[in-house]
Amino acid sequence: MSFDVSAIREQFPILKREIDGKPLVYLDNAATTQKPQCVIDALVDYYTSCNSNVHRGAHRLADEATRRFEAARDIVKDFINAPKREEVIWTTGTTEGINIIANGLGKLLQPGDEVIATGMDHHANLVTWQQACKASGASLKTVPVTDEGELDQAAYAQMLGEKTKFVAIPHVSNALGTVNPVQQMTAQAKQVGAWVLIDGAQGATHGWVDVQAIGCDFYVFSAHKLYGPMGIGVLWGKEAVLADWPVWRTGGEMIATVTLQDATWNVLPYRFEAGTPNVADAIAMGEAIRWFTALDQEAVAAHEKALLDYATQLANEFEGLTIIGKAKHKIGVLSFVLDQGHPADIGFLLDRQGIAVRTGDHCAQPLMARFNVPGTARASFAIYNTLEEVDALFAALKKVRTMLA
Ligand code: PLP
């Protein structure tokens, strides 16, 4: 198999758009990726051919919808190498997955217990553990970030101890692109008996994930960063842990029996899936993963690496540009500031030239404070981006520099 970027681009209708008469150069993929036609078709097809509520109907449409919905769960199971399909819980996205676990953790922690998060966390990860600690009287420690934008492994090793009950680490930093050594960090946390959650929002978007190899207890991610729809994602958790984890939302589907005074809980995965699920988007998430994993993964990785390497080379040659985040192992993200101009101005002036990047704190305010910047401009790459688009970014940045001067 090989990798034909033009053929890939053809499958994304939105990439044909123009912005003020200029071709769209979409470099905001860490915020959300665009969707291939087959994912859009999966949504339309569901609503036009078998829309129905799942699990509880006695008719043909309900049966078909349930089959497709549960088949999507199997696709996710294989994608992350989960041992059991029951361990795959549908959520609205990474944020909800983290909240489900943090809510339960708040009830399990005792004063004196410690939770470890990191200085490069997305607010979805950091703020949620802050709240779990406040609710329980536990304390929160955060792994510092080095000047290169890596997690300080010596500091992490020092933090771990018998009080450590929970460790939450991003697989890949959305603001810096750093790929963290999650397997090694999980193994260290396991030595002190802590539970481990990996925030895979940016990790599951670049290829197969192997939750068994990582060894974590929980892995969470969102479909919309993986060529799938918004409003759907997955919490994966080890059956042995999830089966006893405190339930979060209550309501239909998550119960086994109900009396006027009490209720008992359903088995996994339904225990954590209260209410009518987002059936159409779950099916379309399955389609996105099916589409993505059918690509030659080595070629995909090589293409993404070529984009980042080329962008980094041009950034290093660009006068007045500082890259924020120079980790040895990086993926998909070039975050930078210019000597002149606030990141918001850079974003605005790039948009006038058809280039879509993200600017601001990237939901990582403590990380921006760590690097002493108000925010950065961030170009983030996906498989449909081209080296010509990287050239277009830097040609546009030259104009931005002139305008700001
Ligand atoms: N964690 C990381 C590392 C992210 O990049 C994001 C989104 O940008 C999130 C969590 C939250 O994801 P979502 O908004 O899809 O729930």
Side-chain angles (χ1 to χ4, degrees):
M1 256 196 289
S2 65
F3 186 77
D4 177 353
V5 71
S6 322
I8 299 239
R9 290 181 70 83
E10 275 303 307
Q11 299 178 55
F12 287 79
I14 206 169
L15 297 180
K16 297 192 174 64
R17 259 204 74 166
E18 295 192 337
I19 304 293
D20 298 337
K22 300 182 186 69
L24 166 68
V25 175
Y26 186 77
L27 300 176
D28 193 17
N29 296 289
T32 198
T33 54
Q34 299 302 344
K35 324 301 172 201
Q37 188 65 52
C38 62
V39 169
I40 300 166
D41 289 346
L43 284 171
V44 174
D45 183 50
Y46 170 76
Y47 283 118
T48 46
S49 71
C50 75
N51 173 54
S52 179
N53 214 326
V54 287
H55 298 142
R56 44 189 104 149
H59 56 84
R60 193 70 54 89
L61 295 190
D63 183 50
E64 282 177 21
T66 303
R67 278 170 200 267
R68 289 196 205 182
F69 178 68
E70 293 299 338
R73 202 188 298 272
D74 289 326
I75 293 174
V76 172
K77 168 194 169 287
D78 291 344
F79 177 56
I80 59 174
N81 194 28
K84 295 186 172 183
R85 67 188 312 282
E86 292 78 9
E87 299 174 331
V88 174
I89 316 278
W90 297 115
T91 63
T92 58
T94 307
T95 303
E96 189 176 76
I98 295 171
N99 271 273
I100 292 172
I101 298 308
N103 186 273
L105 185 67
K107 294 172 184 145
L108 297 172
L109 292 173
Q110 309 283 333
D113 289 344
E114 290 176 359
V115 173
I116 299 180
T118 83
M120 64 168 69
D121 282 350
H122 189 282
H123 296 158
N125 205 33
L126 184 65
V127 177
T128 314
W129 307 118
Q130 288 171 355
Q131 294 305 309
C133 288
K134 282 186 185 174
S136 59
S139 50
L140 180 68
K141 296 187 160 187
T142 52
V143 185
V145 177
T146 66
D147 290 345
E148 285 70 39
E150 294 172 343
L151 291 175
D152 182 335
Q153 294 300 326
Y156 173 61
Q158 289 264 310
M159 273 176 199
L160 289 165
E162 60 181 26
K163 291 184 183 164
T164 312
K165 291 289 171 297
F166 200 92
V167 174
I169 318 163
H171 197 163
V172 176
S173 156
N174 62 308
L176 307 176
T178 310
V179 182
N180 291 313
V182 288
Q183 191 162 339
Q184 173 204 310
M185 293 178 78
T186 300
Q188 288 170 275
K190 286 288 155 202
Q191 277 172 10
V192 298
W195 290 299
V196 178
L197 177 141
I198 307 296
D199 170 357
Q202 303 291 340
T205 64
H206 299 284
W208 297 86
V209 173
D210 188 335
V211 292
Q212 296 190 62
I214 295 172
C216 54
D217 299 284
F218 310 105
Y219 192 97
V220 288
F221 60 109
S222 307
H224 71 95
K225 296 179 193 289
L226 177 57
Y227 310 103
M230 292 192 173
I232 188 83
V234 164
L235 154 66
W236 169 80
K238 279 182 186 157
E239 184 183 39
V241 184
L242 271 185
D244 292 328
W245 206 259
V247 295
W248 188 38
R249 290 201 174 124
T250 50
E253 197 87 347
M254 58 77 68
I255 51 82
T257 58
V258 182
T259 63
L260 282 178
Q261 296 301 326
D262 212 350
T264 60
W265 311 140
N266 204 346
V267 294
L268 291 172
Y270 311 113
R271 195 171 195 270
F272 291 100
E273 293 183 353
T276 298
N278 184 351
V279 181
D281 289 311
I283 292 169
M285 179 176 187
E287 177 59 19
I289 294 174
R290 189 206 58 73
W291 173 83
F292 178 66
T293 52
L295 301 170
D296 177 341
Q297 294 297 309
E298 269 182 36
V300 166
H303 179 67
E304 289 195 345
K305 182 172 182 321
L307 290 168
L308 184 62
D309 285 353
Y310 186 48
T312 306
Q313 179 203 323
L314 296 191
N316 282 329
E317 291 164 8
F318 197 93
E319 213 186 304
L321 184 152
T322 306
I323 298 175
I324 306 293
K326 296 182 173 175
K328 274 188 239 49
H329 193 188
K330 267 184 78 169
I331 200 161
V333 168
L334 181 80
S335 236
F336 60 91
V337 290
L338 296 184
D339 281 355
Q340 279 161 325
H342 191 278
D345 297 328
I346 300 170
F348 175 79
L349 294 170
L350 285 176
D351 176 62
R352 300 282 118 167
Q353 303 175 69
I355 317 266
V357 298
R358 179 86 156 196
T359 61
D361 61 34
H362 313 294
C363 295
Q365 289 181 14
L367 185 65
M368 298 298 118
R370 158 70 183 83
F371 282 98
N372 208 15
V373 291
T376 72
R378 179 188 71 185
S380 52
F381 306 103
I383 51 176
Y384 40 67
N385 290 126
T386 63
L387 296 176
E388 290 73 30
E389 288 183 313
V390 177
D391 282 329
L393 166 67
F394 282 91
L397 270 177
K398 274 192 188 142
K399 290 190 190 156
V400 169
R401 191 172 51 191
T402 312
M403 288 184 236
L404 290 172

Short mmCIF file of all heavy atoms in Angstrom, two decimals, residues 300-354:
data_model
loop_
_atom_site.label_atom_id
_atom_site.label_comp_id
_atom_site.label_asym_id
_atom_site.label_seq_id
_atom_site.Cartn_x
_atom_site.Cartn_y
_atom_site.Cartn_z
N VAL A 300 1.37 6.85 6.55
CA VAL A 300 0.72 7.97 7.24
C VAL A 300 1.71 8.62 8.20
O VAL A 300 1.89 9.84 8.23
CB VAL A 300 -0.54 7.48 8.02
CG1 VAL A 300 -1.02 8.54 9.01
CG2 VAL A 300 -1.66 7.11 7.06
N ALA A 301 2.39 7.78 9.00
CA ALA A 301 3.34 8.30 9.99
C ALA A 301 4.48 9.03 9.28
O ALA A 301 4.91 10.11 9.73
CB ALA A 301 3.87 7.16 10.85
N ALA A 302 4.95 8.47 8.17
CA ALA A 302 6.06 9.10 7.44
C ALA A 302 5.62 10.45 6.88
O ALA A 302 6.37 11.44 6.92
CB ALA A 302 6.54 8.18 6.31
N HIS A 303 4.39 10.51 6.37
CA HIS A 303 3.88 11.77 5.81
C HIS A 303 3.76 12.82 6.91
O HIS A 303 4.18 13.98 6.74
CB HIS A 303 2.52 11.51 5.15
CG HIS A 303 1.90 12.73 4.57
ND1 HIS A 303 2.44 13.39 3.48
CD2 HIS A 303 0.80 13.45 4.93
CE1 HIS A 303 1.69 14.45 3.19
NE2 HIS A 303 0.69 14.50 4.07
N GLU A 304 3.19 12.44 8.05
CA GLU A 304 3.02 13.41 9.15
C GLU A 304 4.39 13.89 9.65
O GLU A 304 4.55 15.06 9.99
CB GLU A 304 2.23 12.77 10.29
CG GLU A 304 0.77 12.56 9.93
CD GLU A 304 -0.12 12.28 11.12
OE1 GLU A 304 0.42 11.96 12.20
OE2 GLU A 304 -1.35 12.37 10.97
N LYS A 305 5.34 12.98 9.68
CA LYS A 305 6.69 13.36 10.13
C LYS A 305 7.32 14.33 9.13
O LYS A 305 7.94 15.34 9.53
CB LYS A 305 7.56 12.11 10.29
CG LYS A 305 8.95 12.41 10.81
CD LYS A 305 9.72 11.16 11.13
CE LYS A 305 11.11 11.41 11.69
NZ LYS A 305 11.87 12.49 11.10
N ALA A 306 7.14 14.04 7.84
CA ALA A 306 7.71 14.92 6.81
C ALA A 306 7.13 16.33 6.93
O ALA A 306 7.86 17.32 6.79
CB ALA A 306 7.44 14.33 5.43
N LEU A 307 5.84 16.43 7.20
CA LEU A 307 5.21 17.75 7.34
C LEU A 307 5.82 18.51 8.52
O LEU A 307 6.18 19.68 8.41
CB LEU A 307 3.70 17.59 7.57
CG LEU A 307 2.87 17.10 6.37
CD1 LEU A 307 1.46 16.73 6.83
CD2 LEU A 307 2.80 18.16 5.27
N LEU A 308 5.93 17.82 9.66
CA LEU A 308 6.45 18.49 10.85
C LEU A 308 7.93 18.84 10.68
O LEU A 308 8.37 19.94 11.04
CB LEU A 308 6.24 17.62 12.10
CG LEU A 308 6.68 18.28 13.41
CD1 LEU A 308 5.87 19.56 13.69
CD2 LEU A 308 6.55 17.32 14.59
N ASP A 309 8.70 17.92 10.11
CA ASP A 309 10.14 18.19 9.92
C ASP A 309 10.33 19.41 9.01
O ASP A 309 11.16 20.28 9.28
CB ASP A 309 10.83 16.97 9.29
CG ASP A 309 11.02 15.85 10.30
OD1 ASP A 309 10.73 16.08 11.49
OD2 ASP A 309 11.43 14.75 9.90
N TYR A 310 9.56 19.45 7.93
CA TYR A 310 9.71 20.56 6.98
C TYR A 310 9.27 21.89 7.63
O TYR A 310 9.97 22.90 7.52
CB TYR A 310 8.89 20.27 5.72
CG TYR A 310 9.08 21.28 4.62
CD1 TYR A 310 10.37 21.68 4.22
CD2 TYR A 310 8.00 21.86 3.97
CE1 TYR A 310 10.55 22.62 3.21
CE2 TYR A 310 8.17 22.79 2.94
CZ TYR A 310 9.45 23.16 2.58
OH TYR A 310 9.63 24.09 1.58
N ALA A 311 8.15 21.85 8.33
CA ALA A 311 7.67 23.07 9.00
C ALA A 311 8.69 23.53 10.04
O ALA A 311 8.95 24.74 10.18
CB ALA A 311 6.32 22.80 9.66
N THR A 312 9.29 22.59 10.76
CA THR A 312 10.28 22.95 11.79
C THR A 312 11.52 23.56 11.13
O THR A 312 12.08 24.56 11.63
CB THR A 312 10.66 21.70 12.61
OG1 THR A 312 9.46 21.12 13.11
CG2 THR A 312 11.58 22.03 13.77
N GLN A 313 11.92 22.98 10.01
CA GLN A 313 13.09 23.53 9.30
C GLN A 313 12.82 24.98 8.86
O GLN A 313 13.63 25.88 9.10
CB GLN A 313 13.37 22.65 8.07
CG GLN A 313 14.55 23.11 7.23
CD GLN A 313 14.44 22.58 5.79
OE1 GLN A 313 14.00 21.45 5.58
NE2 GLN A 313 14.81 23.39 4.84
N LEU A 314 11.65 25.22 8.25
CA LEU A 314 11.33 26.58 7.81
C LEU A 314 11.19 27.53 9.00
O LEU A 314 11.58 28.69 8.92
CB LEU A 314 10.04 26.59 6.98
CG LEU A 314 10.07 25.83 5.64
CD1 LEU A 314 8.84 26.15 4.81
CD2 LEU A 314 11.31 26.15 4.81
N ALA A 315 10.66 27.01 10.10
CA ALA A 315 10.50 27.85 11.30
C ALA A 315 11.87 28.24 11.85
O ALA A 315 12.08 29.39 12.26
CB ALA A 315 9.70 27.09 12.36
N ASN A 316 12.80 27.29 11.85
CA ASN A 316 14.15 27.59 12.35
C ASN A 316 14.85 28.63 11.49
O ASN A 316 15.70 29.38 11.99
CB ASN A 316 14.99 26.30 12.42
CG ASN A 316 14.62 25.47 13.64
OD1 ASN A 316 14.22 26.01 14.67
ND2 ASN A 316 14.71 24.15 13.51
N GLU A 317 14.52 28.66 10.20
CA GLU A 317 15.15 29.64 9.29
C GLU A 317 14.45 30.99 9.30
O GLU A 317 14.91 31.94 8.68
CB GLU A 317 15.12 29.08 7.85
CG GLU A 317 16.03 27.87 7.67
CD GLU A 317 15.71 27.08 6.39
OE1 GLU A 317 14.88 27.55 5.57
OE2 GLU A 317 16.28 25.99 6.23
N PHE A 318 13.30 31.07 9.96
CA PHE A 318 12.46 32.27 9.89
C PHE A 318 12.89 33.28 10.96
O PHE A 318 12.78 32.99 12.17
CB PHE A 318 10.99 31.87 10.09
CG PHE A 318 10.00 32.90 9.66
CD1 PHE A 318 9.45 32.88 8.38
CD2 PHE A 318 9.61 33.92 10.52
CE1 PHE A 318 8.53 33.83 7.99
CE2 PHE A 318 8.70 34.88 10.13
CZ PHE A 318 8.15 34.83 8.87
N GLU A 319 13.34 34.45 10.52
CA GLU A 319 13.86 35.44 11.48
C GLU A 319 12.76 35.93 12.42
O GLU A 319 11.64 36.23 11.97
CB GLU A 319 14.38 36.64 10.68
CG GLU A 319 15.57 37.31 11.32
CD GLU A 319 15.91 38.56 10.53
OE1 GLU A 319 16.13 38.43 9.31
OE2 GLU A 319 15.91 39.64 11.16
N GLY A 320 13.08 35.96 13.69
CA GLY A 320 12.12 36.51 14.66
C GLY A 320 11.08 35.51 15.13
O GLY A 320 10.16 35.86 15.86
N LEU A 321 11.22 34.24 14.74
CA LEU A 321 10.24 33.22 15.16
C LEU A 321 10.88 32.31 16.22
O LEU A 321 12.01 31.86 16.07
CB LEU A 321 9.81 32.39 13.95
CG LEU A 321 8.72 31.33 14.16
CD1 LEU A 321 7.93 31.10 12.86
CD2 LEU A 321 9.25 30.02 14.70
N THR A 322 10.15 32.07 17.28
CA THR A 322 10.62 31.13 18.31
C THR A 322 9.63 29.98 18.41
O THR A 322 8.42 30.20 18.61
CB THR A 322 10.71 31.83 19.70
OG1 THR A 322 11.52 33.00 19.54
CG2 THR A 322 11.31 30.92 20.75
N ILE A 323 10.17 28.78 18.29
CA ILE A 323 9.31 27.60 18.45
C ILE A 323 9.14 27.35 19.95
O ILE A 323 10.11 27.36 20.71
CB ILE A 323 9.95 26.35 17.80
CG1 ILE A 323 10.10 26.57 16.29
CG2 ILE A 323 9.13 25.11 18.08
CD1 ILE A 323 10.83 25.44 15.56
N ILE A 324 7.90 27.11 20.36
CA ILE A 324 7.63 26.74 21.76
C ILE A 324 7.36 25.23 21.76
O ILE A 324 6.34 24.78 21.22
CB ILE A 324 6.41 27.50 22.34
CG1 ILE A 324 6.58 29.02 22.16
CG2 ILE A 324 6.19 27.13 23.80
CD1 ILE A 324 7.69 29.65 22.97
N GLY A 325 8.29 24.49 22.38
CA GLY A 325 8.13 23.03 22.39
C GLY A 325 9.08 22.38 21.41
O GLY A 325 8.79 22.30 20.21
N LYS A 326 10.24 21.93 21.94
CA LYS A 326 11.25 21.32 21.06
C LYS A 326 11.60 19.93 21.56
O LYS A 326 12.77 19.54 21.60
CB LYS A 326 12.50 22.20 21.05
CG LYS A 326 12.25 23.59 20.46
CD LYS A 326 13.53 24.39 20.43
CE LYS A 326 13.31 25.70 19.70
NZ LYS A 326 14.45 26.58 19.73
N ALA A 327 10.58 19.20 21.95
CA ALA A 327 10.82 17.85 22.49
C ALA A 327 11.45 16.97 21.41
O ALA A 327 11.23 17.17 20.22
CB ALA A 327 9.50 17.24 22.94
N LYS A 328 12.22 15.99 21.87
CA LYS A 328 12.85 15.06 20.91
C LYS A 328 11.79 14.27 20.17
O LYS A 328 11.89 14.03 18.98
CB LYS A 328 13.78 14.10 21.67
CG LYS A 328 15.17 14.68 21.87
CD LYS A 328 16.08 13.63 22.43
CE LYS A 328 16.71 13.96 23.75
NZ LYS A 328 16.06 14.45 24.90
N HIS A 329 10.75 13.88 20.91
CA HIS A 329 9.69 13.08 20.28
C HIS A 329 8.43 13.94 20.19
O HIS A 329 7.75 14.18 21.19
CB HIS A 329 9.44 11.82 21.11
CG HIS A 329 8.61 10.80 20.40
ND1 HIS A 329 8.13 9.68 20.99
CD2 HIS A 329 8.15 10.76 19.13
CE1 HIS A 329 7.42 8.98 20.13
NE2 HIS A 329 7.42 9.63 18.99
N LYS A 330 8.19 14.45 18.98
CA LYS A 330 7.06 15.35 18.76
C LYS A 330 6.20 14.82 17.63
O LYS A 330 6.67 14.09 16.77
CB LYS A 330 7.57 16.73 18.31
CG LYS A 330 7.77 17.72 19.42
CD LYS A 330 8.20 19.07 18.86
CE LYS A 330 7.05 19.87 18.28
NZ LYS A 330 7.40 21.26 17.98
N ILE A 331 4.96 15.28 17.63
CA ILE A 331 4.08 14.87 16.52
C ILE A 331 3.09 15.98 16.21
O ILE A 331 2.55 16.62 17.11
CB ILE A 331 3.36 13.54 16.88
CG1 ILE A 331 2.85 12.84 15.63
CG2 ILE A 331 2.24 13.71 17.84
CD1 ILE A 331 2.55 11.39 15.85
N GLY A 332 2.94 16.27 14.93
CA GLY A 332 1.78 17.02 14.44
C GLY A 332 1.61 18.48 14.77
O GLY A 332 0.70 19.11 14.23
N VAL A 333 2.44 19.07 15.65
CA VAL A 333 2.17 20.43 16.14
C VAL A 333 3.40 21.32 16.04
O VAL A 333 4.48 20.93 16.50
CB VAL A 333 1.69 20.39 17.61
CG1 VAL A 333 1.69 21.78 18.23
CG2 VAL A 333 0.31 19.77 17.72
N LEU A 334 3.23 22.50 15.46
CA LEU A 334 4.27 23.53 15.49
C LEU A 334 3.67 24.76 16.17
O LEU A 334 2.84 25.45 15.60
CB LEU A 334 4.73 23.89 14.06
CG LEU A 334 5.83 24.94 14.02
CD1 LEU A 334 7.19 24.31 14.30
CD2 LEU A 334 5.86 25.64 12.68
N SER A 335 4.11 24.99 17.41
CA SER A 335 3.62 26.13 18.19
C SER A 335 4.72 27.18 18.17
O SER A 335 5.89 26.85 18.37
CB SER A 335 3.41 25.68 19.64
OG SER A 335 2.12 25.91 20.10
N PHE A 336 4.36 28.45 17.95
CA PHE A 336 5.43 29.45 17.86
C PHE A 336 4.92 30.84 18.23
O PHE A 336 3.71 31.10 18.27
CB PHE A 336 6.02 29.49 16.44
CG PHE A 336 5.01 29.83 15.37
CD1 PHE A 336 4.79 31.14 14.99
CD2 PHE A 336 4.27 28.83 14.75
CE1 PHE A 336 3.86 31.46 14.01
CE2 PHE A 336 3.33 29.14 13.78
CZ PHE A 336 3.12 30.44 13.40
N VAL A 337 5.89 31.71 18.51
CA VAL A 337 5.59 33.14 18.68
C VAL A 337 6.53 33.91 17.75
O VAL A 337 7.60 33.41 17.38
CB VAL A 337 5.80 33.62 20.15
CG1 VAL A 337 4.74 33.04 21.07
CG2 VAL A 337 7.19 33.22 20.67
N LEU A 338 6.13 35.11 17.37
CA LEU A 338 7.00 36.01 16.60
C LEU A 338 7.45 37.14 17.51
O LEU A 338 6.74 37.50 18.46
CB LEU A 338 6.24 36.61 15.41
CG LEU A 338 5.75 35.63 14.32
CD1 LEU A 338 5.11 36.40 13.17
CD2 LEU A 338 6.90 34.77 13.79
N ASP A 339 8.62 37.69 17.20
CA ASP A 339 9.14 38.82 18.00
C ASP A 339 8.13 39.95 18.04
O ASP A 339 7.95 40.62 19.04
CB ASP A 339 10.44 39.36 17.40
CG ASP A 339 11.60 38.46 17.76
OD1 ASP A 339 11.38 37.51 18.54
OD2 ASP A 339 12.72 38.70 17.25
N GLN A 340 7.51 40.18 16.87
CA GLN A 340 6.52 41.25 16.81
C GLN A 340 5.14 40.64 16.68
O GLN A 340 4.94 39.71 15.91
CB GLN A 340 6.77 42.13 15.58
CG GLN A 340 7.85 43.15 15.82
CD GLN A 340 8.38 43.67 14.50
OE1 GLN A 340 8.48 42.95 13.52
NE2 GLN A 340 8.73 44.93 14.49
N GLY A 341 4.19 41.19 17.42
CA GLY A 341 2.82 40.77 17.20
C GLY A 341 2.33 39.76 18.20
O GLY A 341 3.02 38.80 18.54
N HIS A 342 1.12 40.02 18.68
CA HIS A 342 0.44 39.09 19.58
C HIS A 342 -0.03 37.90 18.74
O HIS A 342 -0.39 38.07 17.57
CB HIS A 342 -0.75 39.83 20.21
CG HIS A 342 -1.38 39.08 21.34
ND1 HIS A 342 -2.30 38.07 21.11
CD2 HIS A 342 -1.22 39.18 22.68
CE1 HIS A 342 -2.68 37.59 22.29
NE2 HIS A 342 -2.04 38.24 23.26
N PRO A 343 -0.06 36.70 19.32
CA PRO A 343 -0.54 35.55 18.54
C PRO A 343 -1.91 35.78 17.89
O PRO A 343 -2.15 35.31 16.77
CB PRO A 343 -0.61 34.42 19.59
CG PRO A 343 0.39 34.81 20.63
CD PRO A 343 0.44 36.30 20.66
N ALA A 344 -2.77 36.52 18.58
CA ALA A 344 -4.11 36.75 18.00
C ALA A 344 -4.00 37.53 16.69
O ALA A 344 -4.75 37.28 15.73
CB ALA A 344 -4.99 37.50 19.00
N ASP A 345 -3.06 38.51 16.64
CA ASP A 345 -2.88 39.28 15.40
C ASP A 345 -2.33 38.37 14.29
O ASP A 345 -2.72 38.49 13.12
CB ASP A 345 -1.88 40.43 15.62
CG ASP A 345 -2.42 41.41 16.66
OD1 ASP A 345 -3.65 41.57 16.71
OD2 ASP A 345 -1.59 41.98 17.41
N ILE A 346 -1.43 37.48 14.67
CA ILE A 346 -0.85 36.56 13.68
C ILE A 346 -1.97 35.69 13.09
O ILE A 346 -2.08 35.53 11.86
CB ILE A 346 0.23 35.66 14.33
CG1 ILE A 346 1.36 36.52 14.91
CG2 ILE A 346 0.78 34.64 13.34
CD1 ILE A 346 2.34 35.75 15.79
N GLY A 347 -2.82 35.17 13.95
CA GLY A 347 -3.93 34.34 13.48
C GLY A 347 -4.85 35.09 12.55
O GLY A 347 -5.27 34.58 11.50
N PHE A 348 -5.17 36.34 12.93
CA PHE A 348 -6.08 37.16 12.12
C PHE A 348 -5.48 37.43 10.74
O PHE A 348 -6.15 37.27 9.72
CB PHE A 348 -6.33 38.48 12.87
CG PHE A 348 -7.15 39.46 12.11
CD1 PHE A 348 -8.53 39.33 12.05
CD2 PHE A 348 -6.56 40.53 11.45
CE1 PHE A 348 -9.31 40.24 11.34
CE2 PHE A 348 -7.31 41.45 10.73
CZ PHE A 348 -8.70 41.30 10.68
N LEU A 349 -4.19 37.78 10.72
CA LEU A 349 -3.56 38.12 9.44
C LEU A 349 -3.31 36.88 8.58
O LEU A 349 -3.32 36.97 7.35
CB LEU A 349 -2.25 38.88 9.69
CG LEU A 349 -2.45 40.27 10.34
CD1 LEU A 349 -1.13 40.87 10.78
CD2 LEU A 349 -3.18 41.21 9.39
N LEU A 350 -3.12 35.73 9.20
CA LEU A 350 -3.00 34.49 8.42
C LEU A 350 -4.36 34.12 7.81
O LEU A 350 -4.45 33.71 6.66
CB LEU A 350 -2.50 33.34 9.30
CG LEU A 350 -1.01 33.37 9.66
CD1 LEU A 350 -0.67 32.23 10.64
CD2 LEU A 350 -0.13 33.25 8.41
N ASP A 351 -5.41 34.31 8.60
CA ASP A 351 -6.76 33.98 8.11
C ASP A 351 -7.10 34.80 6.86
O ASP A 351 -7.73 34.30 5.93
CB ASP A 351 -7.78 34.25 9.21
CG ASP A 351 -9.20 34.03 8.72
OD1 ASP A 351 -9.51 32.88 8.34
OD2 ASP A 351 -10.00 34.98 8.68
N ARG A 352 -6.65 36.06 6.83
CA ARG A 352 -6.89 36.92 5.64
C ARG A 352 -6.25 36.31 4.39
O ARG A 352 -6.59 36.66 3.29
CB ARG A 352 -6.29 38.32 5.83
CG ARG A 352 -6.83 39.10 6.99
CD ARG A 352 -8.17 39.66 6.65
NE ARG A 352 -9.15 39.11 7.57
CZ ARG A 352 -10.38 39.55 7.72
NH1 ARG A 352 -10.81 40.55 6.99
NH2 ARG A 352 -11.21 39.00 8.57
N GLN A 353 -5.29 35.42 4.61
CA GLN A 353 -4.60 34.79 3.46
C GLN A 353 -5.04 33.33 3.27
O GLN A 353 -4.38 32.56 2.57
CB GLN A 353 -3.09 34.88 3.68
CG GLN A 353 -2.61 36.34 3.88
CD GLN A 353 -1.12 36.39 4.22
OE1 GLN A 353 -0.28 36.09 3.37
NE2 GLN A 353 -0.79 36.75 5.45
N GLY A 354 -6.13 32.99 3.94
CA GLY A 354 -6.69 31.64 3.75
C GLY A 354 -6.08 30.57 4.61
O GLY A 354 -6.36 29.38 4.43
#
